[in-house]
Short mmCIF file of all heavy atoms in Angstrom, two decimals:
data_model
loop_
_atom_site.label_atom_id
_atom_site.label_comp_id
_atom_site.label_asym_id
_atom_site.label_seq_id
_atom_site.Cartn_x
_atom_site.Cartn_y
_atom_site.Cartn_z
N ALA A 1082 -9.19 -3.40 8.49
CA ALA A 1082 -8.90 -3.51 9.90
C ALA A 1082 -7.37 -3.46 10.04
O ALA A 1082 -6.82 -2.80 10.89
CB ALA A 1082 -9.59 -4.68 10.50
N VAL A 1083 -6.64 -4.23 9.27
CA VAL A 1083 -5.28 -4.41 9.29
C VAL A 1083 -4.65 -2.90 9.09
O VAL A 1083 -3.82 -2.37 9.84
CB VAL A 1083 -4.62 -5.35 8.33
CG1 VAL A 1083 -3.07 -5.35 8.19
CG2 VAL A 1083 -5.01 -6.76 8.63
N MET A 1084 -5.13 -2.34 7.94
CA MET A 1084 -4.68 -0.94 7.70
C MET A 1084 -4.84 0.04 8.73
O MET A 1084 -3.91 0.78 9.14
CB MET A 1084 -5.30 -0.53 6.34
CG MET A 1084 -5.03 0.92 5.91
SD MET A 1084 -6.16 1.36 4.56
CE MET A 1084 -4.86 1.65 3.35
N LYS A 1085 -6.11 0.12 9.17
CA LYS A 1085 -6.46 1.23 10.11
C LYS A 1085 -5.96 0.91 11.57
O LYS A 1085 -5.83 1.78 12.35
CB LYS A 1085 -7.92 1.42 10.19
CG LYS A 1085 -8.55 1.81 8.94
CD LYS A 1085 -8.15 3.31 8.67
CE LYS A 1085 -8.64 3.87 7.32
NZ LYS A 1085 -8.23 5.03 6.84
N SER A 1086 -5.73 -0.34 11.95
CA SER A 1086 -5.23 -0.62 13.26
C SER A 1086 -3.77 -0.75 13.37
O SER A 1086 -3.25 -0.88 14.50
CB SER A 1086 -5.94 -1.82 13.84
OG SER A 1086 -5.47 -3.03 13.19
N SER A 1087 -3.09 -0.69 12.22
CA SER A 1087 -1.64 -0.79 12.25
C SER A 1087 -1.03 0.50 12.82
O SER A 1087 -1.64 1.54 12.84
CB SER A 1087 -1.12 -1.02 10.87
OG SER A 1087 -1.24 0.12 10.11
N ASN A 1088 0.30 0.52 12.98
CA ASN A 1088 1.01 1.64 13.50
C ASN A 1088 1.39 2.67 12.28
O ASN A 1088 2.19 3.58 12.49
CB ASN A 1088 2.26 1.32 14.37
CG ASN A 1088 1.82 0.61 15.44
OD1 ASN A 1088 0.69 0.62 16.05
ND2 ASN A 1088 2.76 -0.09 15.99
N VAL A 1089 1.04 2.31 11.09
CA VAL A 1089 1.63 2.86 9.91
C VAL A 1089 0.86 4.33 9.78
O VAL A 1089 -0.29 4.53 9.93
CB VAL A 1089 1.17 2.15 8.60
CG1 VAL A 1089 1.59 3.05 7.30
CG2 VAL A 1089 1.95 0.78 8.68
N ASP A 1090 1.64 5.36 9.46
CA ASP A 1090 1.07 6.59 9.14
C ASP A 1090 0.95 6.67 7.57
O ASP A 1090 1.88 6.87 6.86
CB ASP A 1090 2.13 7.72 9.54
CG ASP A 1090 1.68 9.10 9.22
OD1 ASP A 1090 0.64 9.21 8.65
OD2 ASP A 1090 2.31 10.03 9.68
N TRP A 1091 -0.22 6.29 7.10
CA TRP A 1091 -0.53 6.07 5.76
C TRP A 1091 -0.44 7.45 4.99
O TRP A 1091 -0.32 7.41 3.70
CB TRP A 1091 -1.87 5.43 5.49
CG TRP A 1091 -1.94 4.17 5.92
CD1 TRP A 1091 -2.33 3.68 7.24
CD2 TRP A 1091 -1.41 2.91 5.31
NE1 TRP A 1091 -2.17 2.27 7.32
CE2 TRP A 1091 -1.60 1.82 6.21
CE3 TRP A 1091 -0.72 2.63 4.16
CZ2 TRP A 1091 -1.26 0.57 5.99
CZ3 TRP A 1091 -0.38 1.31 3.88
CH2 TRP A 1091 -0.55 0.34 4.76
N LYS A 1092 -0.36 8.50 5.77
CA LYS A 1092 -0.38 9.77 4.94
C LYS A 1092 1.00 10.30 4.85
O LYS A 1092 1.29 11.25 4.09
CB LYS A 1092 -1.11 10.84 5.75
CG LYS A 1092 -2.71 10.67 5.74
CD LYS A 1092 -3.40 11.98 6.10
CE LYS A 1092 -4.84 11.65 6.38
NZ LYS A 1092 -5.05 11.55 7.86
N SER A 1093 1.93 9.59 5.38
CA SER A 1093 3.35 10.18 5.56
C SER A 1093 4.10 10.42 4.12
O SER A 1093 4.48 11.37 3.84
CB SER A 1093 4.23 9.46 6.52
OG SER A 1093 4.63 8.27 5.91
N SER A 1094 4.15 9.33 3.28
CA SER A 1094 4.64 9.42 2.09
C SER A 1094 4.45 8.02 1.37
O SER A 1094 3.82 7.28 1.88
CB SER A 1094 6.23 9.61 2.41
OG SER A 1094 6.83 8.27 2.53
N ARG A 1095 5.07 7.91 0.16
CA ARG A 1095 4.90 6.69 -0.63
C ARG A 1095 5.44 5.41 0.19
O ARG A 1095 5.21 4.41 -0.15
CB ARG A 1095 5.23 6.84 -1.95
CG ARG A 1095 6.63 6.96 -2.16
CD ARG A 1095 7.13 7.49 -3.50
NE ARG A 1095 8.52 7.04 -3.59
CZ ARG A 1095 8.92 6.10 -4.21
NH1 ARG A 1095 8.17 5.22 -4.91
NH2 ARG A 1095 10.16 5.77 -4.28
N TYR A 1096 6.52 5.83 0.97
CA TYR A 1096 7.10 4.67 1.79
C TYR A 1096 6.35 4.44 2.97
O TYR A 1096 5.67 5.36 3.53
CB TYR A 1096 8.58 5.05 2.18
CG TYR A 1096 9.38 5.24 0.92
CD1 TYR A 1096 9.87 6.52 0.47
CD2 TYR A 1096 9.79 4.05 0.18
CE1 TYR A 1096 10.62 6.63 -0.60
CE2 TYR A 1096 10.57 4.24 -0.91
CZ TYR A 1096 10.88 5.39 -1.36
OH TYR A 1096 11.66 5.46 -2.50
N ILE A 1097 6.28 3.10 3.30
CA ILE A 1097 5.34 2.74 4.49
C ILE A 1097 6.25 2.97 5.79
O ILE A 1097 7.18 2.27 6.03
CB ILE A 1097 5.00 1.29 4.34
CG1 ILE A 1097 4.39 0.95 2.96
CG2 ILE A 1097 3.99 0.86 5.48
CD1 ILE A 1097 3.14 1.76 2.55
#
Side-chain angles (χ1 to χ4, degrees):
V1083 171
M1084 173 183 241
K1085 296 287 177 189
S1086 67
S1087 74
N1088 298 338
V1089 175
D1090 181 356
W1091 293 99
K1092 290 200 192 93
S1093 76
S1094 77
R1095 66 193 199 101
Y1096 294 107
I1097 309 302

